[in-house]
């Protein structure tokens, strides 16, 4: 353990305390339906303990002393075992494959991102296996990709697909081999064709196929537009400190930047920007493989995946994975900045 970077720790604390005060004020002044009102104290716990306290703990880690090789290997096998059990449970017990979470007691979108995490890590280990010392066979890594894709498929969520596309492109840019980029775009094209065939010709009864077909071919976003528009209207009513925490039924804008403006106005958006300034300042460290610890790249990829999720779903206090990986990446960014100076 080490002392938390005082500036970053202070910004984290101010950000979450301001958000907490806005939550308390909103619960006592804005109208909410009883079902959402019953979650008031659960949300306070999420803000102060699950998010703030946990993030400060992660920021206190000495990232110069972390064994990243062991960490990445441990993450791989934990995800592999969980998703293998998930496969068996879904096939032999649940026997349902449409918008389900399998063994996980989380929202189906989150379970889809667990699968995407294993795919992301396995793809990275396959692409850069000659540069790494993790002795996991190609066969096991391919199996891990399939296990992860199965979890993504049964979740029928779209944000894991979007995350996989963007993170895969990020890996290929790091790889710096044009042929792989060609294969990637060819694979995307074939996937779109197969999706069309599965829906329009085969008429496959699959929530995954239906939701992604409507998303890609018809631009369907599951009715998010009214939530996005309303968040802008609430922000315009008080653009300095924002307005209500969530909508009357507990729903939210489904975009972190619009939600920051809706809840806390320009003040909360400014604090968010200050929070991630160290990452922006040291972003180049994560965009190259030379002079970079290659075992850190997957951690940045996990952060990127959950950042993509914040742009399409979940609200500020119910996306702990994003905040946890943010704390880790910010801690590494501070370490990188200190090494330069």
């Amino acid at each position: 353990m080490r002392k938390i970077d005082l500036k970053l720790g202070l910004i984290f604390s101010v950000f979450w305390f301001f958000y907490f005060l806005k939550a308390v004020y909103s619960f006592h002044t804005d109208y909410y339906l009883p079902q959402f009102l019953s979650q008031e104290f659960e949300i306070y716990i999420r803000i102060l303990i699950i998010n703030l306290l946990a993030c400060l703990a992660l920021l206190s880690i000495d990232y110069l002393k972390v064994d990243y090789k062991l960490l990445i290997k441990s993450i791989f096998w934990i995800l592999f075992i969980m998703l293998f059990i998930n496969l068996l449970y879904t096939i032999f017990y649940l026997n349902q494959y449409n918008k389900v979470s399998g063994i996980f007691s989380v929202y189906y979108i989150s379970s889809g991102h667990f699968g995407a995490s294993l795919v992301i890590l396995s793809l990275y280990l396959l692409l850069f296996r000659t540069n790494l010392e993790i002795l996991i066979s190609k066969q096991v890594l391919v199996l891990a990709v399939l296990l992860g894709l199965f979890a993504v498929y049964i979740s029928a969520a779209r944000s894991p697909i979007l995350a996989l596309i963007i993170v895969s492109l990020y890996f290929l840019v790091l790889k710096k081999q044009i042929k792989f980029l060609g294969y990637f775009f060819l694979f995307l094209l074939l996937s779109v064709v197969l999706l069309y065939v599965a829906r329009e010709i085969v008429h496959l009864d699959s929530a995954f196929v239906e939701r992604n077909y409507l998303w890609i071919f018809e631009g369907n976003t599951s009715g998010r537009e009214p939530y996005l528009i309303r968040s802008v209207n609430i922000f315009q009513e008080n653009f300095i400190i924002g307005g209500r925490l969530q909508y009357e039924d507990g729903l939210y804008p489904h975009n972190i930047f619009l939600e920051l403006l809706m809840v806390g106005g320009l003040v909360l958006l400014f604090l968010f920007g200050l929070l991630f300034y160290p990452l922006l300042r040291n972003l180049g460290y994560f965009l190259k493989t030379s002079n970079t610890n290659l075992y850190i790249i997957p951690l940045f990829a996990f952060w990127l995946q959950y950042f993509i999720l914040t742009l399409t779903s979940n609200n500020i206090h119910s996306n702990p994975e994003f905040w946890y990986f943010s704390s880790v990446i910010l801690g590494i960014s501070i370490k990188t900045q200190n090494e330069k100076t």
Side-chain angles (χ1 to χ4, degrees), residues 97-101 107-108 153-157 207-208 211:
Y97 305 95
N98 291 326
K99 292 181 72 173
V100 295
S101 302
Y107 197 44
Y108 70 91
Y153 176 81
I154 65 173
S155 75
F208 176 87
R211 285 167 59 82

Side-chain angles (χ1 to χ4, degrees), residues 124 127-128 131 166-178 180-181 283-290 292-301 304:
Y124 181 78
L127 282 170
F128 295 92
N131 306 96
I166 294 175
V167 173
S168 297
L169 188 59
Y170 163 60
F171 287 161
L172 294 176
V173 169
L174 290 178
K175 189 69 177 175
K176 296 179 180 178
Q177 291 192 19
I178 299 298
F180 284 115
L181 284 171
L283 191 59
Y285 181 76
F286 303 101
L287 300 178
K288 60 185 180 180
T289 54
S290 59
T292 299
N293 186 330
L294 290 179
Y295 298 104
I296 287 176
I297 297 298
L299 298 177
F300 180 77
L304 182 58

Side-chain angles (χ1 to χ4, degrees), residues 1 8 34 56 109 147 177 224 243:
M1 303 291 285
L8 189 58
L56 292 178
I109 294 176
L147 286 174
Q177 291 192 19
R224 282 175 167 79

Side-chain angles (χ1 to χ4, degrees), residues 68-69 72-73 125 129 132-137 295:
Y68 291 102
K69 177 183 174 182
I72 292 302
K73 190 173 182 180
L125 295 177
R129 60 183 293 106
L132 301 167
E133 299 176 357
I134 295 181
L135 299 177
I136 301 175
S137 69
Y295 298 104

Side-chain angles (χ1 to χ4, degrees), residues 24-41:
V24 173
Y25 181 79
S26 182
F27 270 117
H28 288 84
T29 59
D30 296 316
Y31 172 75
Y32 291 104
L33 296 176
Q35 185 177 359
F36 181 65
L37 274 177
S38 65
Q39 302 175 32
E40 178 181 359
F41 291 100

Side-chain angles (χ1 to χ4, degrees), residues 324-341:
Y324 297 163
F325 282 113
S326 293
S327 301
V328 171
I329 293 303
L330 286 168
I332 294 172
S333 299
I334 293 294
K335 178 214 73 170
T336 304
Q337 183 175 323
N338 292 339
E339 283 182 341
K340 290 179 180 178
T341 57

Side-chain angles (χ1 to χ4, degrees), residues 52-63:
L52 174 58
L53 189 61
C55 288
L56 292 178
L58 287 168
L59 287 173
S60 70
I61 295 173
D62 187 348
Y63 288 97

